[in-house]
Amino acid sequence: MAGKAKKPARGKRSKSRKSQRTIRPMVFLRRWLLRAALATAVLAVVMVGLFRVFNPPTTHTIWSESRRLGGVDRNWVAVDAIAPVMLRSAVAAEDANFCIHWGFDMGAIRAAIEEGAQRGGSTISQQVVKNVYLWQARSYIRKAMEALLTPLVEALWPKRRILEVYLNVAEFDEGVFGIDAAARHYFGVAPDALSARQAALLASVLPNPKNRDAARPSARMNRRATAIMDGAALIESDGRADCFQK
């Protein structure tokens, strides 16, 4: 006669149920955290991919300045309608290694750390991410989001598109956004008619647009514009402009 199977002790069953009750919430939490991370990644890819094709309708800075001033001067212009020297001048002024980095210029970052607040280490790609997707105020959260989105923009957008968006959302004077508005505001010309000197002066405005005037440059701005003109010619000759020039 076969022996009867032994029933598990009541104490063991109780411990097993307690263990399941302890583990299940953690499994549930991990599952939803994974889903949230996946959804966030998909959303980021969609948002970045969308603006590869469509022009950003506004940015946080443009929106806030428009509210403060009662309107801004801005008109989107395609990159083909911007003087090539303006593209080179912006890169020479803000990010000379634009064509050879993947979104972060480690040399510029190290120099910025060494020099403290006297120097910025952000690339044009980082500035596009900050302007289009994020906000201006500094915070660890913003920097973390910028660090995550910048490589994605680099992966999904051509360099020429990054530069096109940059020049169309950048602030050049109070309430003056984008290269089309800036060229007409300062020099009364369309962006495709900018001279090398005018392009360099506009590029010299970018770090501090509210306190610099491209039409009435200071001695320091004039020196900076001359350096930018030299830099624009140099990156054209040494190949560092190849990624965005036709």
Side-chain angles (χ1 to χ4, degrees):
M1 185 173 177
K4 293 183 178 178
K6 291 184 179 179
K7 293 181 179 180
R10 182 176 297 177
K12 290 183 179 179
R13 286 203 308 268
S14 177
K15 286 182 181 179
S16 176
R17 287 173 182 169
K18 286 181 180 179
S19 176
Q20 288 177 1
R21 284 197 296 267
T22 302
I23 293 172
R24 280 177 181 171
M26 295 305 297
V27 171
F28 177 82
L29 179 60
R30 283 197 299 269
R31 184 180 299 148
W32 278 100
L33 284 175
L34 182 61
R35 289 177 179 174
L38 181 60
T40 301
V42 170
L43 180 61
V45 170
V46 170
M47 288 173 59
V48 172
L50 189 68
F51 287 156
R52 172 178 173 149
V53 180
F54 299 102
N55 299 328
T58 189
T59 68
H60 180 270
T61 302
I62 294 173
W63 173 79
S64 61
E65 285 295 276
S66 182
R67 288 191 63 189
R68 184 177 72 85
L69 300 171
V72 295
D73 186 6
R74 182 196 181 212
N75 181 52
W76 190 282
V77 61
V79 68
D80 292 341
I82 301 172
V85 70
M86 184 67 238
L87 306 183
R88 294 193 298 272
S89 296
V91 170
E94 294 290 294
D95 186 4
N97 293 322
F98 178 63
C99 282
I100 58 178
H101 65 61
W102 48 275
F104 303 98
D105 188 338
M106 303 313 294
I109 291 172
R110 283 192 293 270
I113 293 171
E114 291 171 2
E115 297 180 27
Q118 302 302 312
R119 178 188 177 101
S122 292
T123 64
I124 285 176
S125 304
Q126 287 176 272
Q127 292 181 57
V128 166
V129 166
K130 179 180 68 176
N131 288 335
V132 173
Y133 296 106
L134 304 174
W135 57 93
Q136 296 294 325
R138 294 184 178 183
S139 70
Y140 289 115
I141 293 175
R142 196 214 77 194
K143 293 301 289 184
M145 294 175 68
E146 183 182 302
L148 292 171
L149 286 171
T150 298
L152 190 58
V153 166
E154 282 276 340
L156 296 182
W157 294 11
K159 291 282 192 176
R160 190 170 170 85
R161 175 60 173 171
I162 294 173
L163 199 52
E164 177 183 25
V165 174
Y166 173 70
L167 286 172
N168 273 287
V169 301
E171 184 178 17
F172 287 88
D173 194 3
E174 187 172 54
V176 178
F177 289 88
I179 190 60
D180 183 77
R184 298 178 192 280
H185 171 72
Y186 283 117
F187 304 117
V189 300
D192 62 350
L194 287 166
S195 68
R197 168 75 176 167
Q198 290 169 336
L201 284 168
L202 287 175
S204 70
V205 164
L206 289 169
N208 192 4
K210 287 186 172 65
N211 295 311
R212 297 183 183 182
D213 189 334
R216 291 185 292 275
S218 63
R220 184 176 180 180
M221 276 188 68
N222 276 319
R223 290 193 297 271
R224 174 66 174 152
T226 299
I228 291 171
M229 289 173 67
D230 292 340
L234 178 61
I235 64 171
E236 182 180 26
S237 64
D238 68 14
R240 283 182 292 165
D242 290 351
C243 71
F244 60 82
Q245 295 199 128
K246 284 189 170 181

